Amino acid sequence: MRKVFAYCIITCLVVASRAFAGAGEDGLDRYDLLGPEDRLTASFTYLEGKVVLNNGAVLSVPEGYRFLNAVQGRTLVERLWGNPQNPGFLGLLLPKPGSRTANDLFGIEISMDESGYLSQSEARQLNYNILMQKMQQRLAQDNNWRSRRGLNAVTDMHWALPPVYHESDNTLQLARILQLGKNTAVLNYELRMLTRSGALCLTAVAPIGQLEQLQALMPAMGARVHLPIGQRYLDFNPHTDRLAAWTEKMRRMGEILDAHHFFQGLLNTWLFVAVSLLMVLFIYIMQYVHRRREMPKQLFRVDERLN
């Protein structure tokens, strides 16, 4: 569970906070002028067109965007923006300065989550209330990490929209609102494209008012990522591939907390106990009857000496 959603909470939070701070700046100030590190960012090579990610997937960079590969993206996200390491990091999509989306979107992180195969039946039965509770429980630990680095704490987190799973393209959309401090809130919108071994994640950070735009943008972004044969969702091999065990555990936790499933489980437990007692009683009665049948008949003999 930790590997699956830890980075969803923290990833790009610093991007958002710095973007808010520089919302009134023009040109390349949003991404390229980061104080003393501007010489480093000026050395970055941004890619356009079709880009091959480290996992073999092909990304068609949309018009108005530029792409930083995994090495340079890690430098920007982890070293300059202060985010924690993400082992599955594949790159970063940034709007071009002056583009139509430059003021609407801070960035989209692309990463691979190798948490295991998630079946459609499990995806349909995920308990998102339990999922949110798990992420909220991590806030205290994450806030300690942020406070040591002088970053705003996440004081609240909740769903911006009810999570949605689309069976047609095997994607899961998770939209969260993160409250940073008292006066700043950002939208964290994640599109999880289910794969054979987990999910390819596109996580966008944007101002709070861009929810409707991201609802249309993120599926379009996902359509621009093409997984190679062998990594697709339909390539799953049940004999060799690992299942996402955490989802089954989360689903069962949700069922336990659900009143209907609780009483159904309680009823099933009492039925099991009653049937077990009846079986024990039946075995005891059969043994008693069997012993009675095997008892020898008493023969009465007359002692002749008594005559």
Side-chain angles (χ1 to χ4, degrees), residues 233-246:
Y233 188 74
L234 297 177
D235 297 328
F236 171 70
N237 186 338
H239 302 292
T240 60
D241 296 339
R242 183 166 58 94
L243 300 177
W246 63 270

Side-chain angles (χ1 to χ4, degrees), residues 130-194:
I130 300 298
L131 174 59
M132 177 55 66
Q133 291 176 13
K134 289 292 184 180
M135 291 189 292
Q136 289 173 342
Q137 290 173 3
R138 288 187 51 83
L139 284 182
Q141 177 182 350
D142 296 337
N143 285 335
N144 291 333
W145 182 91
R146 280 186 283 271
S147 63
R148 291 195 299 267
R149 289 158 178 80
L151 306 176
N152 289 333
V154 179
T155 57
D156 188 27
M157 175 173 54
H158 55 274
W159 296 121
L161 289 172
V164 178
Y165 173 67
H166 295 285
E167 295 187 20
S168 58
D169 56 0
N170 305 116
T171 58
L172 181 64
Q173 297 186 37
L174 305 174
R176 297 170 288 262
I177 294 179
L178 306 181
Q179 186 70 36
L180 305 177
K182 296 181 179 180
N183 302 319
T184 303
V186 296
L187 181 63
N188 186 295
Y189 199 110
E190 181 185 16
L191 177 72
R192 296 179 63 85
M193 304 170 57
L194 300 187

Side-chain angles (χ1 to χ4, degrees), residues 81-262:
W81 289 343
N83 284 293
Q85 293 184 353
N86 183 349
F89 184 85
L90 297 174
L92 188 66
L93 268 176
L94 300 172
K96 289 183 178 179
S99 64
R100 183 174 57 86
T101 57
N103 294 324
D104 299 337
L105 181 67
F106 302 137
I108 300 177
E109 179 181 296
I110 304 174
S111 61
M112 190 66 198
D113 170 27
E114 300 284 353
S115 59
Y117 176 81
L118 176 65
S119 67
Q120 287 198 354
S121 60
E122 288 178 320
R124 289 192 296 265
Q125 299 179 55
L126 282 176
N127 190 302
Y128 297 108
N129 292 329
I130 300 298
L131 174 59
M132 177 55 66
Q133 291 176 13
K134 289 292 184 180
M135 291 189 292
Q136 289 173 342
Q137 290 173 3
R138 288 187 51 83
L139 284 182
Q141 177 182 350
D142 296 337
N143 285 335
N144 291 333
W145 182 91
R146 280 186 283 271
S147 63
R148 291 195 299 267
R149 289 158 178 80
L151 306 176
N152 289 333
V154 179
T155 57
D156 188 27
M157 175 173 54
H158 55 274
W159 296 121
L161 289 172
V164 178
Y165 173 67
H166 295 285
E167 295 187 20
S168 58
D169 56 0
N170 305 116
T171 58
L172 181 64
Q173 297 186 37
L174 305 174
R176 297 170 288 262
I177 294 179
L178 306 181
Q179 186 70 36
L180 305 177
K182 296 181 179 180
N183 302 319
T184 303
V186 296
L187 181 63
N188 186 295
Y189 199 110
E190 181 185 16
L191 177 72
R192 296 179 63 85
M193 304 170 57
L194 300 187
T195 68
R196 174 181 181 176
S197 59
L200 190 144
C201 308
L202 281 69
T203 305
V205 177
I208 198 68
Q210 301 301 318
L211 180 58
E212 293 184 4
Q213 288 79 351
L214 288 184
Q215 283 183 276
L217 175 65
M218 295 306 290
M221 287 291 187
R224 289 182 167 272
V225 180
H226 300 280
L227 293 169
I229 296 177
Q231 296 186 27
R232 301 171 304 177
Y233 188 74
L234 297 177
D235 297 328
F236 171 70
N237 186 338
H239 302 292
T240 60
D241 296 339
R242 183 166 58 94
L243 300 177
W246 63 270
T247 56
E248 179 67 18
K249 181 179 180 181
M250 185 189 307
R251 184 179 65 83
R252 290 180 178 178
M253 288 179 60
E255 291 181 353
I256 291 175
L257 296 179
D258 181 78
H260 171 75
H261 287 90
F262 174 79

